Amino acid sequence: FHEEFPDYRKDEILNSIKRGCNFMKRIQRKDGSWYGSWACCFCYGAWFGVEGLVAAGESVDCLEIKKCCDFLLTHQRENGGWGEDFTSCYDKDYAENGMKSYGDQGSGVVNTAWALLALSAAKCENVDAVKKGVRYLMERQLPSGDWPQEGIAGVFNRACGITYTAYRNVFPLWALGRCSEVYGKSLDS
């Protein structure tokens, strides 16, 4: 809206953007993550944190975005994916083995998609990690074109898990498209 109508309530809008950006920086955890209140949990929060800072005009080289990328890269699993579950929400701590019972070797397609959306919005320079995540999503896609339904991905009020069946298809597809757009042919090599 502000780009289309730059003079409309300009000072108020710019002040709101600045306050929102400062809020995002203030609530970032020391490990570089953000707590995701509406889904499981830190991969989701990382995606919204990075998207919010970028939308507010922060450089992808800012400290907060770099810290978030480091957080995500630290939690990437050996198979290229990311995985946490509902326990991250109520423990407020990244569930290292959260998807062990529901996903593939501890990774899940929805968490992996959220992590890739964050890393690609941040234009993460670790292309190998992004490639591994993309490969994980591609390998998990079913012959029908869907991705498997895994554990609970949505949450309400930190205590009520919600299965949004569309998440398993919407977010992997979005992440693959975004990664392709940002990284192009470097994903092929």
Side-chain angles (χ1 to χ4, degrees):
F1 180 86
H2 181 64
E3 290 174 13
E4 288 295 316
F5 303 98
D7 295 325
Y8 179 76
R9 301 180 84 165
K10 180 179 179 178
D11 292 339
E12 292 170 83
I13 290 172
L14 291 176
N15 184 47
S16 294
I17 291 170
K18 182 179 179 181
R19 287 177 53 216
C21 185
N22 288 338
F23 173 76
M24 290 300 301
K25 290 178 177 183
R26 193 170 56 251
I27 66 167
Q28 187 178 31
R29 294 162 48 117
K30 288 180 182 173
D31 64 5
S33 69
W34 281 277
Y35 179 80
S37 299
W38 295 99
C40 303
C41 174
F42 292 98
C43 292
Y44 178 80
W47 171 41
F48 274 91
V50 171
E51 292 276 358
L53 291 176
V54 170
E58 287 293 312
S59 164
V60 294
D61 295 319
C62 79
L63 177 64
E64 292 80 8
I65 290 176
K66 292 293 187 189
K67 281 177 60 177
C68 184
C69 288
D70 290 344
F71 169 82
L72 288 171
L73 295 172
T74 299
H75 288 88
Q76 188 173 28
R77 302 185 71 80
E78 192 65 37
N79 64 3
W82 283 262
E84 58 178 324
D85 72 356
F86 185 63
T87 59
S88 289
C89 300
Y90 59 79
D91 289 343
K92 290 191 172 185
D93 193 29
Y94 191 91
E96 289 293 337
N97 294 308
M99 286 302 292
K100 191 173 186 177
S101 298
Y102 309 105
D104 176 50
Q105 300 171 33
S107 296
V109 296
V110 175
N111 289 126
T112 299
W114 288 333
L116 288 172
L117 285 165
L119 292 171
S120 58
K123 295 181 175 43
C124 176
E125 294 175 356
N126 189 336
V127 180
D128 287 338
V130 173
K131 263 198 291 196
K132 283 176 66 177
V134 165
R135 193 173 316 114
Y136 173 80
L137 287 180
M138 291 171 68
E139 289 170 0
R140 294 289 289 157
Q141 191 173 24
L142 303 172
S144 67
D146 284 352
W147 277 268
Q149 182 65 47
E150 298 169 329
I152 292 170
V155 69
F156 173 74
N157 232 11
R158 259 188 58 215
C160 178
I162 305 169
T163 299
Y164 293 112
T165 57
Y167 277 21
R168 69 190 168 107
N169 292 319
V170 170
F171 292 112
L173 193 58
W174 188 351
L176 290 173
R178 161 89 59 84
C179 288
S180 178
E181 180 183 321
V182 171
Y183 296 99
K185 295 288 184 195
S186 62
L187 293 176
D188 295 336
S189 59

